[in-house]
Every structure is written in C-alpha cells, then in structure tokens.
Amino acid sequence: MTPIMDEGRGMLANRPENIVDKYRDDSIETLETIGQFLAVHGGACSDGESVSIGGRASLENSEATHSNNAQEVLNSDGLNNQFLNTLANVINHVNEAIFVINQDGIFEMLNPMAIKLFGASRETLVGQHWCDFLGNQSKDEYLSLLLQWKKRQDHIGNHGPKEVVVHRADSLMLDVDLSLSYLPVEQTGHSPMYIGVMHNLTNHKAEYQALRRQARTDRLTGLANRHAFDEEMQRCWIDCINAQQPLSLVIIDVDYFKLFNDRYGHVNGDVCLQKIADVIDKALPSRLCLASRYGGEEFALILPNCDSAAAELTAKRVQKAINQLSFTDLGLHPSVRISVSQGIAVETLGQYRTPTALLCAADTALYRAKSDGRNRINVSV
C-alpha cells in the first residue's frame, strides 16, 4: 500500500496498538461542534427558496464557485440553500477531513481536506455515491447502514470511528478511520443528511508496523526475538492441534561459543552469530516456519506441519552449512570452524499436552546431543 499523505498528525506515542482510538475523541468532538453550531445557525430560510442549475445548487456569487471551499453542493433533494451555505462555512473551518452525503449516499459537499483524501477534484466527487470509494466489505456494511437510517429518519444515528480502506479516485488506497453521523430533518429543513469525519491513518499505520517489527526482532541477528517466538509458538500450537497436524520444534546451541568469544573477541563473536542466523533462516522449509534467537548463542525453529523426518532434514541442513562457515573475512585462520548441537521434539496427535512440554522435550534432546559429544542432532522420542 502506498502512503499518500498525513494531515499533520504526530506519531502514536502512547497507544500504537489501537490507532482508531487515538482519534475517537477528536471525531466525536468535531461532530458535536458541528451539531451545536447548526442548532443555532442552521435554520431554514424564511422563503424556503433554493436554486438548482444542472442538478447542482447555485452559490451566492460566482467568486465562491471558483474558491477551494465546500460550497458547491448537489441540491437534488431541494435542501435549504441557507442551511447548505452555513454548513459549508462550518466544515471549511474545521481542521478535519469532512464530507456530507444525502440519505442516498450521494456526495453533497466536501471540505478541502476530504477532497485531498479522496484524490479527485470537487467537481468529480460531488454527485457520486461515496460508497463507491470503499472496499467491497465496507461498502456492503455502509450501504446497509444508510438503508437502516433511511427507514428510521427520526432516529439519531452515529457510527464509528471505524477503520476502513478508501479506494481513491487515482486508484491508490488509503487507510482511514471514519465516523458517520446523522443530520435530522429539523436541521436540514427538508430531508436528512449525514456528515462523515475521516482521519488519514496511512503514515501512522506504517509507523506502527515498523515499531511492531522492531519490538519482535532481535537487533543483532535480524531473526525473531524471544517475545515473537513465544507468541508464534502459542499460535502454531493452537493451529496444529485444531488441524491435527504435526508441530516440530528445534533448539540449536552453538558449541563452545564462549571460547570463540574469549579467543577472537566479542565483535567477531557477534559476526559469528549473524552468520549462523543467516544460515538458519535460509534453511527453513517454508514461509510458515519461524527462526528466532532464543537467547545468547541459542536459536529455535518452529516448524508447523512438519513431522520428525522433515524436522531432522532441516536440522541436518543447518548443521552442514554451519560446519562449512568460514571466518577468513574477519582475518581468522581458515582452520577456524564452529559447530552446533540440536535438539528436536515433535508434537503429533496429543503426544505433548502443552507448548511448554514440547519445549522441555526439545531442550532435553539438546542436552543429550551436547552430552554425546556436541555437533550432533538428537530427536526426542
């Protein structure tokens, strides 16, 4: 998804886990402010006149026609012109993306920020159905909502804020949160209308995703960290148990890594771990699998839908590639080599009752591999 623009919002400092909540109070306050203003200033004209040219309401003067305001409106429902001008003046001075639709979902007016988010000119947008800019799932939801509100015109309705994807007129997609609120006949003077308030979430979601990746990634090796491992282990356990598929776990420990660090230094030790991580990541049998740094010089592989044979084959690929690692690029002698010991445990048809039990079995298998002389693979039975 291509980020389009950010309407001057800052980073999500405190609650990146729920982007829509950041704007909930803003949306409600905006809608309440508009409602209060219109309750005082938005009454109908005494003569009830409205002017329509080609299906669009005329403006008070030609200068307004060429301005960047939201005063070019569709007047197909005979809406009161004074009310429309008052409403346009209000939303143009609100620092939010705001649009107004009639009870059939047709754009009546948009302020400059809303025009920018929808990615087209006002002339192009006014008169179109706003649901045409939503994905299929959201489109069906809001069409149904408008139908319900249309049947209950005496009912004051509010919906959102809710995160939706806007399909812009230029074919780009934009993540926004959307609040939709009802303007009753008492305010419009003829038929109900609806005000939508939107906030651009694209940049904020990108920042959130970056922070989430950072929180789940081991900084040195680039593999998943322990937190990500624990989450993925729980998820894969549930999925494999429900689907009655095997789940394999491989724990990998670098042999005599402390001696490597003491002899060649911690900087070279870090590079060694990075080389190992790269080997492990490339050995994964599918994209469903996860390689993580379990702690220190220990790594762990989660292999969903992999039986014992598949897990052992993966472990052998890891062992062979690590045994062939060279450190001459670090200035070390070609004879410098490392090895790993690996323990494997496989959950099949209820062999282990919990993910912790599976982890303990793999850890025990690793201990046996180390006890048998290291540079070995041991499979728990």
Side-chain angles (χ1 to χ4, degrees), residues 15 93 110 148 171-172 227 234 260 297 304 347:
R15 297 182 62 196
H93 290 87
L110 306 94
Q148 293 175 26
S171 299
L172 297 175
H227 173 69
Q234 186 66 36
F260 187 99
E297 67 271 21
E347 158 57 28

PDB file of all heavy atoms in Angstrom, residues 15 93 110 148 171-172 227 234 260 297 304 347:
ATOM      1  N   ARG A  15      -0.178   4.731  22.517  1.00  0.00           N
ATOM      2  CA  ARG A  15      -1.023   3.566  22.288  1.00  0.00           C
ATOM      3  C   ARG A  15      -1.004   3.155  20.839  1.00  0.00           C
ATOM      4  O   ARG A  15      -2.010   3.192  20.152  1.00  0.00           O
ATOM      5  CB  ARG A  15      -2.460   3.860  22.725  1.00  0.00           C
ATOM      6  CG  ARG A  15      -2.607   4.147  24.204  1.00  0.00           C
ATOM      7  CD  ARG A  15      -4.046   4.375  24.578  1.00  0.00           C
ATOM      8  NE  ARG A  15      -4.833   3.193  24.313  1.00  0.00           N
ATOM      9  CZ  ARG A  15      -6.155   3.188  24.244  1.00  0.00           C
ATOM     10  NH1 ARG A  15      -6.826   4.290  24.393  1.00  0.00           N
ATOM     11  NH2 ARG A  15      -6.811   2.074  23.991  1.00  0.00           N
ATOM     12  N   HIS A  93     -13.953  25.365   8.107  1.00  0.00           N
ATOM     13  CA  HIS A  93     -13.101  25.915   9.144  1.00  0.00           C
ATOM     14  C   HIS A  93     -12.781  24.890  10.216  1.00  0.00           C
ATOM     15  O   HIS A  93     -12.231  25.228  11.258  1.00  0.00           O
ATOM     16  CB  HIS A  93     -13.765  27.149   9.771  1.00  0.00           C
ATOM     17  CG  HIS A  93     -13.805  28.334   8.846  1.00  0.00           C
ATOM     18  ND1 HIS A  93     -14.825  28.528   7.941  1.00  0.00           N
ATOM     19  CD2 HIS A  93     -12.927  29.359   8.659  1.00  0.00           C
ATOM     20  CE1 HIS A  93     -14.602  29.632   7.243  1.00  0.00           C
ATOM     21  NE2 HIS A  93     -13.454  30.153   7.651  1.00  0.00           N
ATOM     22  N   LEU A 110     -17.831  18.571   0.248  1.00  0.00           N
ATOM     23  CA  LEU A 110     -16.602  18.078   0.860  1.00  0.00           C
ATOM     24  C   LEU A 110     -15.721  19.288   1.166  1.00  0.00           C
ATOM     25  O   LEU A 110     -15.655  20.231   0.376  1.00  0.00           O
ATOM     26  CB  LEU A 110     -15.827  17.134  -0.069  1.00  0.00           C
ATOM     27  CG  LEU A 110     -16.549  15.925  -0.661  1.00  0.00           C
ATOM     28  CD1 LEU A 110     -17.093  16.285  -2.039  1.00  0.00           C
ATOM     29  CD2 LEU A 110     -15.616  14.726  -0.758  1.00  0.00           C
ATOM     30  N   GLN A 148     -30.805   1.399   6.756  1.00  0.00           N
ATOM     31  CA  GLN A 148     -31.456   1.357   8.068  1.00  0.00           C
ATOM     32  C   GLN A 148     -31.802   2.755   8.550  1.00  0.00           C
ATOM     33  O   GLN A 148     -32.902   3.004   9.053  1.00  0.00           O
ATOM     34  CB  GLN A 148     -30.531   0.675   9.074  1.00  0.00           C
ATOM     35  CG  GLN A 148     -30.276  -0.793   8.821  1.00  0.00           C
ATOM     36  CD  GLN A 148     -29.260  -1.358   9.801  1.00  0.00           C
ATOM     37  OE1 GLN A 148     -29.103  -0.862  10.907  1.00  0.00           O
ATOM     38  NE2 GLN A 148     -28.555  -2.394   9.373  1.00  0.00           N
ATOM     39  N   SER A 171      -6.819   5.491  -7.896  1.00  0.00           N
ATOM     40  CA  SER A 171      -6.570   4.046  -7.775  1.00  0.00           C
ATOM     41  C   SER A 171      -5.647   3.678  -6.618  1.00  0.00           C
ATOM     42  O   SER A 171      -5.381   2.494  -6.407  1.00  0.00           O
ATOM     43  CB  SER A 171      -5.987   3.457  -9.081  1.00  0.00           C
ATOM     44  OG  SER A 171      -6.897   3.642 -10.148  1.00  0.00           O
ATOM     45  N   LEU A 172      -5.154   4.656  -5.878  1.00  0.00           N
ATOM     46  CA  LEU A 172      -4.374   4.348  -4.687  1.00  0.00           C
ATOM     47  C   LEU A 172      -5.321   4.058  -3.525  1.00  0.00           C
ATOM     48  O   LEU A 172      -6.485   4.461  -3.546  1.00  0.00           O
ATOM     49  CB  LEU A 172      -3.445   5.517  -4.342  1.00  0.00           C
ATOM     50  CG  LEU A 172      -2.373   5.840  -5.388  1.00  0.00           C
ATOM     51  CD1 LEU A 172      -1.598   7.082  -4.985  1.00  0.00           C
ATOM     52  CD2 LEU A 172      -1.430   4.660  -5.576  1.00  0.00           C
ATOM     53  N   HIS A 227      10.272 -12.777  22.444  1.00  0.00           N
ATOM     54  CA  HIS A 227       8.865 -12.397  22.540  1.00  0.00           C
ATOM     55  C   HIS A 227       8.079 -12.913  21.331  1.00  0.00           C
ATOM     56  O   HIS A 227       6.994 -13.489  21.481  1.00  0.00           O
ATOM     57  CB  HIS A 227       8.758 -10.876  22.636  1.00  0.00           C
ATOM     58  CG  HIS A 227       7.357 -10.363  22.567  1.00  0.00           C
ATOM     59  ND1 HIS A 227       6.428 -10.565  23.568  1.00  0.00           N
ATOM     60  CD2 HIS A 227       6.716  -9.647  21.607  1.00  0.00           C
ATOM     61  CE1 HIS A 227       5.284 -10.007  23.228  1.00  0.00           C
ATOM     62  NE2 HIS A 227       5.422  -9.438  22.042  1.00  0.00           N
ATOM     63  N   GLN A 234       2.690 -20.225  20.593  1.00  0.00           N
ATOM     64  CA  GLN A 234       1.324 -20.408  21.077  1.00  0.00           C
ATOM     65  C   GLN A 234       0.344 -20.486  19.908  1.00  0.00           C
ATOM     66  O   GLN A 234      -0.566 -21.326  19.895  1.00  0.00           O
ATOM     67  CB  GLN A 234       0.957 -19.254  22.009  1.00  0.00           C
ATOM     68  CG  GLN A 234      -0.390 -19.394  22.691  1.00  0.00           C
ATOM     69  CD  GLN A 234      -0.430 -20.569  23.660  1.00  0.00           C
ATOM     70  OE1 GLN A 234       0.563 -20.873  24.324  1.00  0.00           O
ATOM     71  NE2 GLN A 234      -1.576 -21.236  23.730  1.00  0.00           N
ATOM     72  N   PHE A 260      35.047 -19.155  21.692  1.00  0.00           N
ATOM     73  CA  PHE A 260      35.190 -18.355  20.473  1.00  0.00           C
ATOM     74  C   PHE A 260      35.248 -16.872  20.836  1.00  0.00           C
ATOM     75  O   PHE A 260      36.090 -16.111  20.342  1.00  0.00           O
ATOM     76  CB  PHE A 260      34.020 -18.641  19.528  1.00  0.00           C
ATOM     77  CG  PHE A 260      34.150 -18.002  18.172  1.00  0.00           C
ATOM     78  CD1 PHE A 260      34.599 -18.721  17.090  1.00  0.00           C
ATOM     79  CD2 PHE A 260      33.822 -16.649  17.980  1.00  0.00           C
ATOM     80  CE1 PHE A 260      34.731 -18.136  15.828  1.00  0.00           C
ATOM     81  CE2 PHE A 260      33.937 -16.052  16.740  1.00  0.00           C
ATOM     82  CZ  PHE A 260      34.399 -16.802  15.656  1.00  0.00           C
ATOM     83  N   GLU A 297      23.589 -17.592  22.693  1.00  0.00           N
ATOM     84  CA  GLU A 297      24.005 -18.319  21.494  1.00  0.00           C
ATOM     85  C   GLU A 297      23.035 -19.437  21.136  1.00  0.00           C
ATOM     86  O   GLU A 297      23.378 -20.362  20.410  1.00  0.00           O
ATOM     87  CB  GLU A 297      25.416 -18.879  21.676  1.00  0.00           C
ATOM     88  CG  GLU A 297      25.546 -19.972  22.727  1.00  0.00           C
ATOM     89  CD  GLU A 297      25.833 -19.440  24.115  1.00  0.00           C
ATOM     90  OE1 GLU A 297      25.550 -18.253  24.383  1.00  0.00           O
ATOM     91  OE2 GLU A 297      26.359 -20.203  24.935  1.00  0.00           O
ATOM     92  N   PRO A 304       5.755 -25.620  11.801  1.00  0.00           N
ATOM     93  CA  PRO A 304       4.383 -26.141  11.745  1.00  0.00           C
ATOM     94  C   PRO A 304       4.194 -27.060  10.547  1.00  0.00           C
ATOM     95  O   PRO A 304       4.804 -26.867   9.493  1.00  0.00           O
ATOM     96  CB  PRO A 304       3.527 -24.880  11.636  1.00  0.00           C
ATOM     97  CG  PRO A 304       4.438 -23.848  11.067  1.00  0.00           C
ATOM     98  CD  PRO A 304       5.809 -24.167  11.562  1.00  0.00           C
ATOM     99  N   GLU A 347       5.354 -32.608  18.220  1.00  0.00           N
ATOM    100  CA  GLU A 347       4.006 -32.858  18.733  1.00  0.00           C
ATOM    101  C   GLU A 347       3.181 -33.502  17.630  1.00  0.00           C
ATOM    102  O   GLU A 347       3.003 -32.940  16.539  1.00  0.00           O
ATOM    103  CB  GLU A 347       3.350 -31.554  19.185  1.00  0.00           C
ATOM    104  CG  GLU A 347       1.831 -31.571  19.241  1.00  0.00           C
ATOM    105  CD  GLU A 347       1.257 -32.654  20.141  1.00  0.00           C
ATOM    106  OE1 GLU A 347       1.935 -33.056  21.117  1.00  0.00           O
ATOM    107  OE2 GLU A 347       0.153 -33.121  19.853  1.00  0.00           O
TER     108      GLU A 347
END
